[in-house]
Amino acid sequence: MSSTLTEATDPWCLRPGEAADLLRDHPWHRFVVLGDSVAEGLCEPLDGYPDLQWADRIAAELRAVRPELAYFNLGRRGLRAHEVRATQLADALAFGADLALVVCGGNDAFRPGYDPDVVDAELVAIITALHDAGADVITVGMFDVSHSPAVRDTLRAGLGVRMRRLARHTRAVAERLGTLHVHLTDHPLVADPSLYSGDGRHGSARSDAVATAETLRVLATHHTRRRPPRTGRDPGRPLASEALPARPSSTPA
């Protein structure tokens, strides 16, 4: 990667003002995040890119449009899919989110004994419960970390097979359940070493910047489909039908 490339000049990142345009009049008031270290935010700093983690960036952009937005990140490193459901789902439901980001399965796929059907069942249980509670759910096909230069050559092929299998299964679950799916596994940059951290398991600040751009574009595609067309009114003010009642903005301690 060129040493002069920054988020402002990176063609795969958001342009100035793009986030505000993508999320204009978005309907969400309470955003919860469930998952493992990717959800918690463990990206490695990279010159030219902000250190703000992916989920925090999404929350910040949502809040820039709706300052009252409440945000609760339950993500914890090292968790497998069944542990995410067991330790985070009840708190997520109690929070009463209308938008949820679910990122899990990566720690399962790092193991040679990865069973996609078992992970699928956990993911379905999490998504279904959140949907039943009235939340829109974001799912993710993660960048294939087997491309990281820090992954040992003897492990690279097997890890790549499992990561791509996880992505295919997650995408199939997303299509079946109707989530807002962000597919990063086949992104044009997936093999670029600048996306990955030195630990061979996580991303860099560039990967979080790119993932943020892709996530906001998926959110925009969803909410603009149900947004009434603008008429001759002030473009900065929502229609009465768009102005949803505000929920409490405080997050749990």
Side-chain angles (χ1 to χ4, degrees):
M1 182 177 71
S2 168
S3 60
T4 60
L5 192 62
T6 67
E7 182 168 8
T9 60
D10 193 326
W12 298 104
C13 295
L14 295 165
R15 301 277 61 82
E18 184 179 357
D21 185 58
L22 290 170
L23 296 177
R24 175 174 53 85
D25 299 342
H26 78 71
W28 299 292
H29 295 265
R30 298 181 72 79
F31 176 43
V32 71
V33 177
L34 303 83
D36 51 29
S37 57
V38 177
E40 179 184 354
L42 292 183
C43 79
E44 188 170 86
L46 184 68
D47 288 345
Y49 294 82
D51 289 343
L52 192 62
Q53 308 286 330
W54 174 42
D56 293 347
R57 289 182 59 135
I58 296 169
E61 298 294 359
L62 290 166
R63 191 172 276 161
V65 175
R66 291 194 181 276
E68 77 278 10
L69 180 113
Y71 170 47
F72 189 20
N73 191 330
L74 292 157
R76 292 293 179 269
R77 66 196 71 185
L79 298 186
R80 297 172 65 183
H82 72 280
E83 294 170 316
V84 170
R85 181 173 65 86
T87 64
Q88 298 177 15
L89 181 57
D91 287 340
L93 294 173
F95 179 66
D98 51 11
L99 180 66
L101 171 62
V102 178
V103 190
C104 61
N107 289 315
D108 298 85
F110 261 91
R111 300 166 182 257
Y114 161 59
D115 186 336
D117 293 332
V118 171
V119 174
D120 287 358
E122 298 294 340
L123 191 58
V124 167
I126 294 170
I127 294 169
T128 300
L130 291 166
H131 273 172
D132 288 349
D136 291 320
V137 178
I138 308 166
T139 50
V140 185
M142 293 175 285
F143 290 114
D144 177 1
V145 75
S146 72
H147 291 287
S148 168
V151 173
R152 292 192 316 208
D153 289 341
T154 55
L155 302 177
R156 192 179 308 280
L159 177 60
V161 168
R162 295 192 299 276
M163 292 300 294
R164 290 189 294 274
R165 193 175 187 188
L166 171 64
R168 288 196 305 273
H169 275 253
T170 302
R171 192 177 204 172
V173 168
E175 290 173 352
R176 177 156 53 94
L177 298 183
T179 73
L180 313 179
H181 189 65
V182 182
H183 185 68
L184 300 171
T185 316
D186 295 321
H187 193 281
L189 287 180
V190 70
D192 191 311
S194 70
L195 287 189
Y196 303 103
S197 71
D199 67 3
R201 298 180 69 92
H202 300 102
S204 69
R206 189 187 189 198
S207 76
D208 276 18
V210 172
T212 298
E214 297 299 327
T215 304
L216 297 195
R217 289 163 187 156
V218 168
L219 290 177
T221 299
H222 173 72
H223 88 82
T224 54
R225 282 200 303 264
R226 63 188 190 184
R227 185 172 63 200
R230 288 185 175 270
T231 58
R233 62 189 176 91
D234 177 350
R237 298 180 60 189
L239 292 166
S241 60
E242 294 173 296
L244 302 181
R247 296 186 182 181
S249 59
S250 60
T251 57

